[in-house]
Amino acid sequence: MTQGGGTEAVDWLGRLLSCRDCPHQEIRARGLCDIGQACVRDRRARRIDRFFAANPDEAPKYIDHPYSEVRVGAAKYANVFLLPRLLADEEPDVRAMAAQRLPLRLGEKLMRDPEPKVRRALAHRVEGALLVHCLHDADSSVRLIAARRAGPDMLPLLMRDQDPQVRGEVARRIALNKLGAMCGDPEPRVRMIIAERLEPLQLALLAADEDLRVRFIVAERCLPGELMRLRDDPDPEVRQVARTRLGEIEKS
């Protein structure tokens, strides 16, 4: 059956769908499902989700469905007491959905799940020692989530992280009295973040940075003493900023 949008509605085995053989005739009669739009038999995750959103009481019936997208949808809407059985599901997306909804005391075992997306789901929720555990995760995407949620006192653990995106998040959030220790970061984009946050008095640490973008930020924010140094910078834009600021200072 071809829908108004021109897309055929097929099930997870690629078979064309028809409402004639659907077990949800009563739901259809109430306007709570619509082939090609909201249908639990469709292979498209969005259509499955729309079905469960409109009919959450149907979710328990599909918790063990052979198609993983249906199990994901069922896990999203079913009573949480049905979800522990999904912690051992073969599909990471199903386990991740269970991890998002289960009480943490039940989901903690998934901290050792081999699939990063499952551990990411938990990193959005855990606190304390478990969040610290996420800071040491083997996957940088898990560490990045943890870096966004951890308190500033935890962030020094990631100052030397191998992933520049993680270090950039640390540079944005770490306490200012710890930030100077990151000035030697090998990634210019991280040093740019540092230059934007450091106290003007500390910007001397970056005044001779090899990256002109870092020096440009320094020239915009540093004290007059560093401006004297930057007025002869090799880069014309950095020189211009330094000389303009010096001229303004002399006039004031």
Side-chain angles (χ1 to χ4, degrees):
M1 180 178 292
T2 301
Q3 305 309 305
T7 302
E8 288 186 328
V10 297
D11 69 10
W12 66 291
L13 295 175
R15 300 172 299 198
L16 286 175
L17 290 173
S18 171
C19 293
R20 289 191 297 271
D21 59 353
C22 178
H24 296 300
Q25 294 299 327
E26 181 181 344
I27 290 175
R28 180 168 176 258
R30 288 185 286 146
L32 297 177
C33 66
D34 182 12
I35 193 166
Q37 295 296 322
C39 180
V40 73
R41 301 167 67 206
D42 204 295
R43 70 180 175 188
R44 297 196 174 197
R46 184 174 298 178
R47 296 173 182 177
I48 295 169
D49 185 79
R50 288 176 186 146
F51 175 88
F52 284 126
N55 306 281
D57 292 342
E58 295 295 314
K61 302 176 185 178
Y62 289 93
I63 207 80
D64 295 314
H65 194 276
Y67 184 37
S68 63
E69 292 292 357
V70 173
R71 297 199 304 278
V72 171
K76 182 176 179 179
Y77 293 95
N79 189 298
V80 293
F81 292 108
L82 297 176
L83 300 187
R85 65 210 282 184
L86 297 179
L87 295 180
D89 194 278
E90 64 181 12
E91 175 57 47
D93 286 333
V94 178
R95 300 196 304 273
M97 182 57 69
Q100 289 176 32
R101 298 193 60 220
L102 277 168
L104 285 177
R105 61 182 175 80
L106 297 177
E108 286 177 10
K109 67 168 64 175
L110 292 176
M111 294 292 295
R112 297 182 295 277
D113 193 280
E115 176 56 50
K117 69 173 59 178
V118 179
R119 304 197 303 275
R120 286 197 296 269
L122 285 168
H124 282 293
R125 300 184 61 203
V126 295
E127 303 288 349
L130 290 176
L131 186 56
V132 173
H133 181 83
C134 292
L135 295 174
H136 297 287
D137 195 273
D139 190 271
S140 62
S141 65
V142 179
R143 299 196 305 274
L144 180 60
I145 294 169
R148 288 170 175 163
R149 298 189 61 237
D153 57 320
M154 297 183 186
L155 295 179
L157 295 172
L158 295 174
M159 290 171 63
R160 301 291 181 264
D161 193 272
Q162 63 183 2
D163 190 292
Q165 192 174 2
V166 174
R167 299 196 308 274
E169 188 63 31
V170 173
R172 289 185 185 94
R173 300 190 59 241
I174 199 169
L176 285 177
N177 63 353
K178 304 286 186 182
L179 187 58
M182 297 186 69
C183 285
D185 193 280
E187 173 56 52
R189 289 171 297 178
V190 175
R191 300 198 304 276
M192 289 171 66
I193 296 169
I194 296 168
E196 289 170 347
R197 289 194 65 214
L198 276 177
E199 297 290 350
L201 185 63
Q202 293 181 288
L203 286 172
L205 296 169
L206 294 171
D209 195 275
E210 64 183 21
D211 193 282
L212 68 89
R213 295 169 297 176
V214 177
R215 299 196 309 276
F216 187 90
I217 296 171
V218 172
E220 289 183 315
R221 302 186 60 240
C222 67
L223 297 178
E226 295 308 317
L227 288 175
M228 298 295 293
R229 176 179 183 177
L230 292 169
R231 68 180 180 180
D232 296 319
D233 191 271
D235 182 75
E237 293 188 14
V238 176
R239 290 198 306 269
Q240 181 61 42
V241 171
R243 292 176 181 182
T244 298
R245 286 192 62 207
L246 280 170
E248 293 171 352
I249 292 171
E250 291 174 358
K251 291 177 183 178
S252 60

